[in-house]
Amino acid sequence: AQKVTQAQTEISVVEKEDVTLDCVYETRDTTYYLFWYKQPPSGELVFLIRRNSFDEQNEISGRYSWNFQKSTSSFNFTITASQVVDSAVYFCALSEAHILTGGGNKLTFGTGTQLKVEL
Amino acid sequence: DAGITQSPRYKITETGRQVTLMCHQTWSHSYMFWYRQDLGHGLRLIYYSAAADITDKGEVPDGYVVSRSKTENFPLTLESATRSQTSVYFCASSDGEGITDEQYFGPGTRLTVT
């Protein structure tokens, strides 16, 4: 069975600090997909990034960057120069490829990391 | 409005009552999903549907019933609500064309069972 672990329950930083959110996953599949979602205080879930298991290239999008390492089964998320608006709960999720059964991408979520960015 | 909507947004019900949470999407996405969000558990999949009239259980299906007679609607029914079903419920949809597709989430329904 697949599993996603976000060991950091809550992180507090001061604005402009860099912060890394950890995500460790378990899966038996060789083909899988990893996601990060953001849940701001308003409650909606916002898609941030998707990465497939064959692409270990790190990605940077503005102040956000993601470090995918299959060797350690980790998909960590870094926010550079954090801002108050980054305050949210961040979820890492894993999807296994059910090509034959057509199961779509059923997501297994981690328990989330609450990020608080203070002035 | 285009997108994915849920109704009601807030619901209080009593133990033992039946309650239905509605989900509607305007994209004609094939796949739809129901998750519940609880502290310490993140989001857990309740049921999903690959197309109209095709549904399957997720991780925590007990106590819930779904149907999908139309592609755009995916209602979730609690046949006899229990306090343990107090949660925030999210509906999601995806094109499903590929396993890579992101899921688009509705705004959520906060359900309290007293």
Side-chain angles (χ1 to χ4, degrees):
Chain A
Q2 52 187 355
K3 182 179 179 182
V4 176
T5 300
Q6 295 180 257
Q8 304 154 308
T9 304
E10 185 172 320
I11 300 175
S12 291
V13 298
V14 176
E15 201 175 37
K16 298 184 182 177
E17 286 185 5
D18 298 347
V19 57
T20 295
L21 310 182
D22 298 332
C23 173
V24 175
Y25 62 92
E26 297 175 26
T27 179
R28 296 178 181 177
D29 281 8
T30 55
T31 302
Y32 52 89
Y33 295 80
L34 294 161
F35 301 77
W36 275 94
Y37 282 85
K38 173 182 179 179
Q39 187 177 43
S42 52
E44 73 272 24
L45 283 156
V46 179
F47 167 80
L48 294 177
I49 191 172
R50 160 183 64 233
R51 171 69 71 229
N52 75 58
S53 54
F54 298 108
D55 182 4
E56 289 192 70
Q57 190 172 15
N58 292 332
E59 180 160 339
I60 298 175
S61 176
R63 295 185 297 107
Y64 296 169
S65 62
W66 289 269
N67 183 357
F68 176 33
Q69 291 191 343
K70 286 181 73 172
S71 61
T72 56
S73 297
S74 64
F75 186 43
N76 297 336
F77 172 32
T78 297
I79 302 175
T80 302
S82 60
Q83 300 176 1
V84 172
V85 293
D86 295 327
S87 297
V89 179
Y90 291 85
F91 290 98
C92 180
L94 168 68
S95 168
E96 291 180 335
H98 296 280
I99 298 175
L100 295 180
T101 61
N105 56 338
K106 294 180 288 185
L107 294 173
T108 296
F109 283 84
T111 52
T113 297
Q114 169 83 60
L115 174 65
K116 295 184 178 180
V117 182
E118 301 169 335
L119 292 170
Chain B
D1 291 337
I4 183 166
T5 58
Q6 294 182 235
S7 62
R9 294 293 313 279
Y10 303 90
K11 176 73 177 178
I12 300 174
T13 191
E14 295 177 343
T15 300
R17 291 193 177 266
Q18 181 181 82
V19 59
T20 296
L21 309 183
M22 303 302 294
C23 179
H24 175 79
Q25 52 105 353
T26 60
W27 296 302
S28 297
H29 282 169
S30 300
Y31 285 89
M32 296 187 75
F33 308 81
W34 274 107
Y35 295 88
R36 58 177 291 172
Q37 181 179 12
D38 305 289
L39 276 174
H41 291 280
L43 281 83
R44 291 179 292 175
L45 182 65
I46 305 170
Y47 270 96
Y48 70 98
S49 169
D53 297 323
I54 301 176
T55 63
D56 204 352
K57 297 177 181 179
E59 181 185 354
V60 289
D62 293 343
Y64 303 95
V65 174
V66 294
S67 62
R68 195 166 176 208
S69 57
K70 294 183 178 181
T71 300
E72 61 267 29
N73 297 324
F74 190 37
L76 175 74
T77 298
L78 289 67
E79 293 190 303
S80 178
T82 65
R83 289 181 180 173
S84 65
Q85 293 177 310
T86 292
S87 185
V88 180
Y89 290 85
F90 286 96
C91 177
S93 71
S94 75
D95 192 302
E97 188 62 38
I99 46 187
T100 65
D101 288 337
E102 67 181 90
Q103 292 184 16
Y104 297 85
F105 285 82
T109 294
R110 184 175 294 276
L111 175 68
T112 301
V113 182
T114 63

